[in-house]
Amino acid sequence: MTNTTLQPNVAKFRQPTYEIDPVYLNRWSPRSFLEKEVPEKDLLSLFEAARWAPSGYNLQPWKFIIARDQKSREKFYPFIYENNLKWCEKAPVLVMIISKTTSENGLNQSHTFDTGAAWGFLALEATRKGLITHPMIGFDYDKARTSLNIPEDYAIQALVAIGYQGEKEALPEPFQEREQPNSRVPLTDLLFNGEFGEPVK
């Protein structure tokens, strides 16, 4: 499945000021996952998209630790905070995104920026494939580093649940009212003209 039009459930909450491809609006972060396996070719295509993200000096600092079977996912569960575990246990894939903080020339100042671009590419390709993604920072970073054997020269960026979207009624009640796309601040709030604080007219 490839999403090429604005989804009706998204259009109620999101309208761009200027014309853009609907994939940017269709991408949001649901919490309701079907307990349905993602075919390997579809899953790996997400990381193929991430592979082509831009990075400073082409260092490509991002790495992905993938849990796509029950045994692997259960290694993740102990360090995920309870409020997130309540819904992400149903996700068929969990991915820890990390980035190498150093290069042969010392500190890589852009590792976080570059890895964010890779995550963005991954998320958009997931949307194109009819998959959903939900990134999280609600977990114990120290426990995650120990459990997943993450080296000290890698920064932990985020944990992402990947899969197919389920019905919001399948979620615990407190999450159901939040199961909709968020809007965004006006574009004019994001832009400055020439220097910080100078509005674009």
Side-chain angles (χ1 to χ4, degrees):
M1 173 183 171
T2 299
N3 294 311
T4 56
T5 59
L6 186 59
Q7 298 172 0
N9 66 318
V10 172
K12 291 190 298 184
F13 302 99
R14 295 180 164 185
Q15 289 294 328
T17 306
Y18 298 94
E19 185 179 346
I20 56 174
D21 192 291
V23 70
Y24 300 104
L25 303 172
N26 288 336
R27 189 229 60 83
W28 60 288
S29 302
R31 290 179 174 83
S32 183
F33 284 85
L34 296 177
E35 295 181 86
K36 176 184 174 183
E37 187 175 339
V38 179
E40 183 174 18
K41 65 180 178 58
D42 291 340
L43 179 63
L44 295 184
S45 72
L46 275 53
F47 300 99
E48 179 68 25
R51 185 167 78 102
W52 293 99
S55 62
Y57 300 101
N58 198 30
L59 289 174
Q60 305 164 56
W62 49 80
K63 295 285 187 288
F64 306 96
I65 302 173
I66 308 172
R68 52 181 171 161
D69 59 69
Q70 189 62 29
K71 184 179 179 181
S72 298
R73 289 192 298 268
E74 286 177 357
K75 285 187 69 175
F76 283 60
Y77 295 160
F79 59 74
I80 300 174
Y81 292 157
E82 183 181 359
N83 224 33
N84 282 330
L85 193 57
K86 285 177 182 176
W87 55 265
C88 78
E89 274 186 307
K90 286 189 174 182
V93 181
L94 295 173
V95 177
M96 184 66 76
I97 303 178
I98 62 177
S99 59
K100 196 167 194 315
T101 60
T102 58
S103 71
E104 58 184 23
N105 296 317
L107 183 66
N108 178 5
Q109 298 281 8
S110 69
H111 71 94
T112 299
F113 181 78
D114 297 340
T115 303
W119 145 247
F121 277 36
L122 183 157
L124 292 173
E125 185 62 21
T127 301
R128 291 186 67 255
K129 287 285 192 297
L131 294 163
I132 61 170
T133 55
H134 192 113
M136 296 167 266
I137 56 172
F139 60 91
D140 188 309
Y141 281 57
D142 291 333
K143 284 184 180 178
R145 185 177 296 279
T146 300
S147 297
L148 304 182
N149 296 316
I150 299 170
E152 287 299 322
D153 60 344
Y154 279 84
I156 297 173
Q157 298 297 343
L159 174 63
V160 181
I162 300 173
Y164 295 99
Q165 188 173 359
E167 297 296 326
K168 74 175 183 179
E169 290 76 16
L171 288 168
E173 200 166 294
F175 295 111
Q176 291 183 23
E177 63 185 39
R178 299 164 60 189
E179 191 72 349
Q180 63 188 39
N182 293 320
S183 60
R184 293 293 186 269
V185 300
L187 184 59
T188 51
D189 287 4
L190 307 177
L191 305 176
F192 297 126
N193 187 42
E195 64 180 50
F196 189 90
E198 191 65 32
V200 172
K201 298 176 182 178

